Amino acid sequence: MSQHARVVIIGSGSAGLSALREVRHATDDFLIVNDGHWGTTCAESGCMPSKALIEAANAFHRRHDFEAFGISGTEALRIDVPAVMARMKRMRDGFTKSPRKVPKALGDKAISGRATLLGPNRIEIEGHGEVTADAIILATGSSPVLPGPWKTFGERILTTDTLFTLDDLPKRIAVIGMGAIGVELAQAMARMGIEVAGFDALESVAGMTDPEVAAVLRDAIAAELPLHLGAPAEISEGNAGSLIVKGAGGAEFEADAVLAAMGRRPNIAGLGLETLGVPLDDHGMPEVDATTTRIGGLSVFLTGDANAIRPILHEASDEGHIAGRNAVADAPRCYSRRTSMAIAFSAPNAVRVGQSFKDLEGQNILIGSADFATQSRARLAEEAYGMLRVYAEPESGKLLGCEMALPEGEHFAHLFGLAIQSGMSVFDMLAMPFYHPVMEEGLRSALREISKQLPEEDRSDLSDCPEKGHPALD
């Protein structure tokens, strides 16, 4: 006889744990099943350990600005990479400690093993037999993309799942894939003294779609490490165990290891989605309603990285929240999603908020730009570089989105996220208080550029306050 539960959650990452919290508010009749370690990709091998490396790398790199500030003695500074890796692991282990306690805290409601769908309300759990459920939440996460032929190179091919297990870093690393993760890690390792080269089939880096922003970011990264863009990378055996990576224009780099940073793939293979009786695309993915996380009209919810809609931690947590609540509701509710936001923690930060340039290409929009080469606070900090581009509706001036490559761009991202989600216009944003001197003052140049193209009526109080004409004061 099969076991029954009101809700079964498959996966214990950010989305699964968020769903678990909501389900437990409504019922004790649940199971959570997980295959592998209990915890989140972000804390284990994603955003948290990578930021530990980035912070150490940026702290060491800052020595290049010391002379400009009147500080001498930088030649005596050294970086101990094994010590950096040890600190990263200590911090990572602290972040993962709580999620790892989940199975012990839940007792027999937590099952370690692989779960496979047998139908819309049936699951086979490895070692436990069949379980039926009123609702099923699929939060199985994602895994790094790794081309099959590369596996023959063994441990010399690294992914973000293996990089952070190392006690030391190889002396020469090729990073293949210059998306957000690849750019972050390539630059961080270069700043730590590792010989690094970056490769990508695309011409842009970190997912920037605005050509002006993309060019500024590409130039900034290329100033710190060689980039070979515009052609797929090829790997072959070198001498004495090294690997030869070939890229665009026949460029070659001899590496001790290759970091494959070509994105992540949803963990849906072998999950049994074909048993649900709904159409699947060429990748085996069903259509998922982003406002409910529901598959078709079923009581099955596909959430977090597993649905590939917005594979970012805060979005995964939101989707787990939505799935958990809908799984115990009498009828699924449609939830309003947050304004989309993507940040690569490179230097400068690479940021997209709201609709991207690519999303809006070909539409009638207004664009305002700001070059931070002369921004006063940026100059004081020896960070006078970067580009911001803002997109708005004609006539109304309503903000639609932005892309930027800026120092402190992560803070600009949240400012724009709030403005766009609140339905603000260019005039509304210009009427906001801007302290002096702060980096955020720089965005007014882009906003004012758009405001000059808009009708005079219905402007917010003080939104017409112009530049003073003195760089130190604007």
Side-chain angles (χ1 to χ4, degrees):
M1 184 175 180
S2 64
Q3 182 180 355
H4 180 81
R6 182 176 174 187
V7 180
V8 173
I9 303 168
I10 302 175
S12 71
S14 300
L17 293 178
S18 180
L20 174 65
R21 180 187 61 232
E22 300 306 322
V23 169
R24 294 184 74 184
H25 286 321
T27 182
D28 289 328
D29 187 11
F30 67 87
L31 292 173
I32 180 168
V33 186
N34 186 70
D35 184 22
H37 72 270
W38 290 73
T40 73
T41 295
C42 176
E44 188 79 29
S45 58
C47 39
M48 303 309 282
S50 68
K51 301 313 169 287
L53 289 189
I54 289 169
E55 291 294 346
N58 289 349
F60 187 54
H61 185 75
R62 194 66 170 145
R63 72 194 187 281
H64 294 297
D65 296 325
F66 284 179
E67 185 175 349
F69 289 116
I71 303 171
S72 60
T74 59
E75 64 279 356
L77 294 176
R78 300 289 184 271
I79 189 166
D80 184 340
V81 175
V84 171
M85 299 299 284
R87 174 183 180 268
M88 175 272 294
K89 290 180 181 180
R90 287 195 304 271
M91 301 199 78
R92 178 202 61 195
D93 292 347
F95 293 129
T96 59
K97 185 182 299 182
S98 180
R100 287 175 176 172
K101 292 179 179 178
V102 169
K104 184 177 180 180
L106 294 180
D108 59 7
K109 293 185 179 296
I111 300 174
S112 293
R114 182 167 181 79
T116 307
L117 292 168
L118 300 176
N121 299 97
R122 297 169 55 222
I123 305 164
E124 179 75 25
I125 302 177
E126 180 183 18
H128 290 76
E130 184 175 327
V131 175
T132 59
D134 297 332
I136 299 170
I137 299 172
L138 306 173
T140 49
S142 61
S143 299
V145 172
L146 183 62
W150 293 6
K151 295 178 182 179
T152 60
F153 298 114
E155 295 181 353
R156 291 172 295 173
I157 303 294
L158 302 169
T159 69
T160 51
D161 282 357
T162 58
L163 177 71
F164 301 115
T165 66
L166 300 178
D167 295 327
D168 196 0
L169 293 176
K171 302 303 181 185
R172 302 171 298 176
I173 297 180
V175 180
I176 302 180
M178 286 286 103
I181 295 173
V183 166
E184 287 181 352
L185 293 175
Q187 186 183 51
M189 291 187 293
R191 290 185 164 195
M192 292 165 61
I194 308 299
E195 187 180 350
V196 181
F199 297 79
D200 202 300
L202 301 177
E203 293 284 357
S204 62
V205 297
M208 294 294 97
T209 69
D210 187 304
E212 293 192 25
V213 175
V216 168
L217 179 64
R218 185 172 57 244
D219 289 347
I221 302 301
E224 299 189 35
L225 61 110
L227 294 178
H228 308 291
L229 308 175
E234 299 178 355
I235 306 174
S236 61
E237 287 284 357
N239 296 320
S242 68
L243 296 173
I244 303 299
V245 182
K246 294 183 180 180
E252 289 190 2
F253 180 74
E254 186 173 11
D256 300 309
V258 169
L259 174 62
M262 297 172 291
R264 299 181 68 88
R265 179 180 291 116
N267 292 331
I268 58 173
L271 188 55
L273 291 171
E274 69 280 358
T275 68
L276 298 180
V278 298
L280 305 178
D281 65 17
D282 292 342
H283 302 288
M285 181 72 73
E287 185 175 350
V288 179
D289 184 339
T291 66
T292 64
T293 75
R294 192 182 188 190
I295 298 175
L298 307 175
S299 294
V300 181
F301 304 87
L302 184 57
T303 183
D305 285 11
N307 66 32
I309 295 175
R310 294 184 181 181
I312 303 172
L313 180 131
H314 71 273
E315 299 285 3
S317 295
D318 284 352
E319 291 187 0
H321 170 83
I322 294 169
R325 288 199 166 187
N326 280 338
V328 295
D330 293 332
R333 169 188 162 190
C334 294
Y335 286 75
S336 296
R337 300 298 297 270
R338 303 179 202 267
T339 296
S340 64
M341 182 186 302
I343 305 173
F345 293 87
S346 54
N349 291 165
V351 174
R352 295 194 315 274
V353 183
Q355 296 182 73
S356 69
F357 181 87
K358 183 178 180 181
D359 294 333
L360 297 166
E361 196 168 13
Q363 299 183 35
N364 181 24
I365 62 170
L366 300 179
I367 301 178
S369 303
D371 185 342
F372 272 60
T374 58
Q375 206 278 327
S376 58
R377 180 59 184 274
R379 290 170 61 194
L380 292 171
E382 292 294 325
E383 293 182 321
Y385 53 85
M387 172 66 67
L388 164 68
R389 297 255 284 175
V390 180
Y391 319 122
E393 289 182 352
E395 302 301 327
S396 71
K398 181 180 178 181
L399 294 163
L400 299 173
C402 63
E403 292 192 32
M404 65 188 86
L406 291 181
E408 312 299 336
E410 60 182 288
H411 305 300
F412 285 75
H414 288 84
L415 182 59
F416 272 102
L418 174 63
I420 293 171
Q421 188 157 312
S422 300
M424 292 174 65
S425 70
V426 167
F427 301 130
D428 294 328
M429 207 168 189
L430 278 170
M432 292 171 56
F434 288 87
Y435 207 78
H436 178 78
V438 295
M439 291 281 195
E440 285 78 3
E441 285 181 292
L443 68 87
R444 288 186 301 184
S445 298
L447 297 173
R448 285 166 172 160
E449 186 177 326
I450 295 175
S451 72
K452 292 174 184 176
Q453 306 172 62
L454 292 167
E456 295 288 335
E457 65 271 10
D458 298 325
R459 297 197 174 191
S460 307
D461 290 348
L462 298 181
S463 63
D464 283 333
C465 181
E467 298 95 337
K468 301 170 191 66
H470 302 281
L473 303 178
D474 283 316

